[in-house]
Amino acid sequence: PPPPGPEIGIANHSFEEPVLADGQYNINDTPGWVGEGPQFHVANPQNDWFVGTSADSTENPIDGSNIGGLNVGTTLYQDLTNVVKAGVTYKLTMLVGQRNGAPFGTPTVSLIGGGVVLAEATPPAPDVGTFASFELTYNSPESGDVIGQTLRIQLRSAGADAQAWFDDVKLTVGPTLPPPPPPGPDIAIANHSFENPVLGDGLYTINNTPGWT
């Protein structure tokens, strides 16, 4: 596949603001993002939440020190300075995590243009205590009302007692790839479907496959 296109600027894309001590978290204070609902967090986690995230760990699975989290019923979004361009492909990528001691639920990740949902999906639940990569793709049309509309990235948590976590949110834009060409003509293969010899229902042969050695 071609390399990803240029990144679109996302404020506090990795939730490194505010600076927090190892093992600390805040409530309802995520610079650069707008939160709606009960509780949203920035946390500097340790191994009891996510494996490998304590300050003394040698293999950190996240980008930087902090992550962003949403309790059930909470939405976190950011309106970007970019607008929807015609005939391009947007790729929204991020890490999603399931904390030890909290269900992942059924969160949704959305790319929105001018209030219209362009692409939306529910990330699969990662293993408990881990993060997994997630990608959402949108191919914009050549024309239409959505072109020129402001882009929004939206994260939402849902599910009983759920708490979803995110990190390293990135959005790239590049040319839309043309569809693959249709397959070429078949090359003849003798007895390609093994219909020779003709057999009665439930019968089979041994060491007799015409066209094959």
Side-chain angles (χ1 to χ4, degrees):
E7 284 189 28
I8 292 174
I10 300 173
N12 201 15
H13 81 281
S14 196
F15 305 104
E16 295 305 299
E17 296 179 41
V19 175
L20 298 170
D22 192 36
Q24 299 298 305
Y25 67 92
N26 69 16
I27 297 175
N28 296 352
D29 178 19
T30 306
W33 297 80
V34 177
E36 296 177 348
Q39 287 188 354
F40 49 96
H41 312 273
V42 174
N44 184 338
Q46 293 182 315
N47 293 340
D48 58 341
W49 278 20
F50 291 99
V51 176
T53 57
S54 290
D56 58 356
S57 297
T58 57
E59 296 185 5
N60 185 8
I62 60 177
D63 182 57
S65 299
N66 291 355
I67 54 178
L70 306 176
N71 282 13
V72 62
T74 302
T75 299
L76 194 69
Y77 68 86
Q78 183 175 151
D79 290 328
L80 308 181
T81 58
N82 295 69
V83 299
V84 180
K85 295 182 178 180
V88 296
T89 295
Y90 291 93
K91 288 188 177 181
L92 179 60
T93 62
M94 64 194 68
L95 297 173
V96 295
Q98 179 173 190
R99 196 194 109 188
N100 276 315
F104 183 68
T106 53
T108 53
V109 173
S110 308
L111 184 64
I112 297 171
V116 177
V117 175
L118 308 177
E120 185 174 78
T122 295
D127 292 338
V128 174
T130 70
F131 278 84
S133 298
F134 175 74
E135 179 180 298
L136 185 67
T137 300
Y138 170 66
N139 296 321
S140 66
E142 293 294 339
S143 61
D145 293 342
V146 74
I147 304 304
Q149 298 295 322
T150 299
L151 283 165
R152 171 181 288 188
I153 295 170
Q154 180 173 286
L155 312 172
R156 180 171 173 80
S157 178
D161 299 319
Q163 190 181 73
W165 291 86
F166 303 89
D167 194 34
D168 200 20
V169 181
K170 294 180 179 178
L171 182 64
T172 61
V173 58
T176 299
L177 297 179
D186 283 350
I187 296 174
I189 300 174
N191 199 15
H192 78 282
S193 193
F194 305 102
E195 298 304 307
N196 190 14
V198 176
L199 300 172
D201 190 35
L203 297 180
Y204 64 92
T205 66
I206 298 176
N207 298 346
N208 178 24
T209 307
W212 297 79
T213 302

